[in-house]
């Protein structure tokens, strides 16, 4: 993965770390506080599952908040609301109040995830998406897994920890508010992609999203009850409680590397098989006690297998869709994740109440096995090699003159196939007609290895109607590259798109000194003679 991609997404990585810390502190503290309040596991599971109800609402309506206020302000609003929720939890220990607050938290957290993940999908492409999401999930895992260690500052019963949640949320708010990342293209209609359309793109990715919710919500919400019932304390308690995401540190980057090189279904099936083995060994521990060190290792492996399933599902889907559908697809995937999140804690919590807390892991084994069987059937018996990406983003340059040449098919511009994610994101952002494109252009070029002459031809091909304006801005920002930009556009001048050529000539010569103007005019005259000679010969 190119180092400049990591530099570009730094604000997102730091923000997701801070969000993850607050996310897990909620999950760890609330079940314990409710258990000490005298509530049963089934009721606690119901209350915690309301987070997933909020997640479903975010999938349905979260993108509208982004469309209304923009990515950065929507993220900031969600972080501020979550800080208010944290303060409310410190005052109330009631099952119904907790359920309501968890629903609000689910909406806010998942809207934040939709915002950040759709952003990442525009920044990445098919060649590096697995590693980009792997790095994103590693940062999430570090924050999520670090949260239980904050109990060393005080006990898990101390309401001041809710204030600490607010601190981390404010940190993420500040980081994103000060970010200069160009904004992704927004959909014209902020609605989730239909389930049928998502299934047509990737059945394996669609089902994996649902099962990732079944696994993650039950694991994160109810693991503290298992540890509480088994009397695990001290540093081992922190490791067990954070195992779901700490285990992701062991799997995320290798899984991303493998997913970029091999069939993602095989990689996901292998992960689920690893989860089946580790969860079966956790069950065996209840019959044949193991050393606590070995048990913690099993929890880390179990968590690492589960946490990597959703990013793999996302990459499977995004390998086949148009970038303009990023937010609607992310919304639908979050709805599926939320549906699984509603069912998971309810089913697992009921099993734990009826039998014992170890039944959480019987439930996880069953879900893991189901995913393995489905993915292997898809791989072995269903032909999917003809599955193609959705319609490409094509831009054709239409001239105003009757005699203008028509572009050859090979020159049809395909934004989805641009290899450099920084360039692709810049073009998407410019396509939204920003008030000050100069800021976007300078930020993109200063934060990457791109050169002005590399960007120029892509801007003209992608946005021909605004080519004059954009080239004028580019030359004004980088006047020393004026001639290099001019020569990079030579092949476009040969196409004889008269209206566009006229706009480009004005933009390139504006503010030029005599020597530069003479050289530009000389190049254009030379091109005109070449074209005229070729026409005569033909």
């Amino acid at each position: 993965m190119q180092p400049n991609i990591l530099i570009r997404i730094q604000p997102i990585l730091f923000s997701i770390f801070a969000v993850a810390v607050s996310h897990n502190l909620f999950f760890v503290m609330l079940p314990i506080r409710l258990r000490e309040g005298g509530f049963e596991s089934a009721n606690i599971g119901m209350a915690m599952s309301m987070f997933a109800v909020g997640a479903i609402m975010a999938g349905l309506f979260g993108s509208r908040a982004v469309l209304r206020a923009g990515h950065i302000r929507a993220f900031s609003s969600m972080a501020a609301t979550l800080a208010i929720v944290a303060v409310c939890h410190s005052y109330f220990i009631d099952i119904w109040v907790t359920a309501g607050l968890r629903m609000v938290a689910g909406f806010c957290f998942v809207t934040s995830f939709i915002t950040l993940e759709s952003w990442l999908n525009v920044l990445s492409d098919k060649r590096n998406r697995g590693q980009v999401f792997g790095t994103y999930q590693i940062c999430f895992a570090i924050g999520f897994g670090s949260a239980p260690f904050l109990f060393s500052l005080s006990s898990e019963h101390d309401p001041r920890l809710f204030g600490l949640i607010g601190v981390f949320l404010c940190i993420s708010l500040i980081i994103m508010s000060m970010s200069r990342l160009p904004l992704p293209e927004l959909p014209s209609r902020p609605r989730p992609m239909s389930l049928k359309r998502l299934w047509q793109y990737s059945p394996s990715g669609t089902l994996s999203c649902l099962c990732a919710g079944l696994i993650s919500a039950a694991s994160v919400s109810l693991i503290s009850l298992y540890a509480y019932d088994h009397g695990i304390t001290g540093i081992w308690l922190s490791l067990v409680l954070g195992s779901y995401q700490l285990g992701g540190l062991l799997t995320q980057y290798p899984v991303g590397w493998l997913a970029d090189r091999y069939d993602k279904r095989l990689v996901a099936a292998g992960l689920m098989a690893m989860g089946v083995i580790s969860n079966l060994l956790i069950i065996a521990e209840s019959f044949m006690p193991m050393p606590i060190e070995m048990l913690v290792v099993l929890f880390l492996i179990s968590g690492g297998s589960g946490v990597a399933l959703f990013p793999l599902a996302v990459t499977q889907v995004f390998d086949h869709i148009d970038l303009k559908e990023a937010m609607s697809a992310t919304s639908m995937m979050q709805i599926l994740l939320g549906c699984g999140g509603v069912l998971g804690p309810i089913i697992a919590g009921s099993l734990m109440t009826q039998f014992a807390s170890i039944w959480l892991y019987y439930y996880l084994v069953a879900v893991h096995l189901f995913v393995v069987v489905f993915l292997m059937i898809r791989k072995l018996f269903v032909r999917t090699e003809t599955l193609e990406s959705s319609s490409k983003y094509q831009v054709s340059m239409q001239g105003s003159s009757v005699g203008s040449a028509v572009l050859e098919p090979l020159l049809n511009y395909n934004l989805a196939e641009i290899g450099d994610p920084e360039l692709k994101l810049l073009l998407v952002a410019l396509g939204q007609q920003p008030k000050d494109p100069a800021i976007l252009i300078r930020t993109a070029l200063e934060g990457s290895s791109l050169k002005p002459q590399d960007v120029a031809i892509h801007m003209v091909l992608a946005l021909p109607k605004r080519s004059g304006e954009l080239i004028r801005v580019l030359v004004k920002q980088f006047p020393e590259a004026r001639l290099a930009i001019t020569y990079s556009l030579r092949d476009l001048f040969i196409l004889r798109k008269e209206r566009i050529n006229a706009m480009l000539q004005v933009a390139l010569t504006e503010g030029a000194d005599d020597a530069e103007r003479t050289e530009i005019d000389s190049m254009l005259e030379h091109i005109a003679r070449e074209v005229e000679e070729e026409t005569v010969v033909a």
Side-chain angles (χ1 to χ4, degrees), residues 204-439:
S204 299
T206 303
L207 185 89
S208 295
C209 286
L210 177 65
C211 292
L214 291 171
I215 294 170
S216 63
S219 298
V220 175
S221 299
L222 301 175
I223 192 173
S224 58
L225 298 183
Y226 172 87
Y228 184 88
D229 290 344
H230 283 66
I232 301 174
T233 59
I235 186 65
W236 304 114
L237 175 64
S238 297
L239 287 170
V240 169
L241 294 179
S243 63
Y244 186 78
Q245 290 292 344
L246 284 176
L249 296 176
L250 305 175
T251 59
Q252 286 292 355
Y253 196 83
V255 166
W257 187 88
L258 290 170
D260 289 335
R261 289 161 176 79
Y262 303 103
D263 191 299
K264 294 179 175 64
R265 292 166 298 181
L266 287 178
V267 177
L271 273 175
M272 293 296 97
M274 185 173 70
V276 169
I277 295 171
S278 59
N279 287 317
L280 284 174
L281 290 173
I282 291 173
I283 293 172
E285 191 275 339
S286 64
F287 300 100
M288 296 179 293
M290 301 178 185
I292 186 64
E293 296 86 355
M294 184 178 295
L295 183 62
V296 167
V297 170
L298 292 176
F299 273 105
L300 290 172
I301 296 173
S302 172
S305 66
V307 76
L309 182 59
F310 184 67
L312 273 175
V314 172
T315 58
Q316 287 181 72
V317 171
F318 274 86
D319 282 348
H320 302 293
I321 68 171
D322 193 292
L323 288 175
K324 293 187 289 185
E325 296 181 294
M327 183 165 289
S328 61
T330 302
S331 297
M332 189 65 229
M333 287 186 285
Q334 288 291 347
I335 291 173
L336 290 172
L337 188 70
C339 289
V342 170
L343 296 174
I346 293 175
I347 296 172
S350 298
L351 291 172
M352 294 169 72
T353 298
Q354 187 172 356
F355 300 104
S357 58
I358 192 61
W359 274 77
L360 170 62
Y361 293 94
Y362 284 107
Y363 161 84
L364 292 176
V365 167
V367 178
H368 281 70
L369 277 174
F370 174 71
V371 177
V372 171
V373 171
F374 181 86
L375 293 177
M376 294 311 298
I377 289 175
R378 293 286 306 174
K379 173 61 180 176
L380 297 176
F381 302 108
V382 180
R383 293 176 60 85
T384 58
E385 64 270 20
T386 58
L387 181 63
E388 298 177 352
S389 299
S390 62
S391 57
K392 305 279 194 294
Y393 180 73
Q394 301 285 348
V395 180
S396 59
M397 295 168 59
Q398 301 297 331
S400 58
S401 172
V402 176
S404 295
V406 178
L407 285 176
E408 296 294 332
L410 291 177
L411 292 177
N412 285 343
Y413 192 75
N414 186 353
L415 182 61
E417 292 183 357
I418 293 178
D420 193 306
E422 283 80 13
L423 176 59
K424 180 165 57 178
L425 182 61
L426 173 62
L427 296 176
V428 171
L430 291 174
Q432 298 180 61
Q433 299 187 355
K435 293 182 180 179
D436 191 353
I439 296 177

Side-chain angles (χ1 to χ4, degrees), residues 171-187:
I171 289 173
S172 68
L173 188 158
I174 292 169
I175 292 172
M176 291 308 296
S177 296
M178 298 298 293
S179 168
R180 296 196 301 170
L181 281 175
L183 301 180
E185 183 178 5
L186 292 172

Side-chain angles (χ1 to χ4, degrees), residues 86-101:
V87 174
C88 292
H89 275 303
S90 67
Y91 282 94
F92 301 103
I93 306 178
D94 179 83
I95 195 73
W96 298 109
V97 173
T98 300
L101 291 174

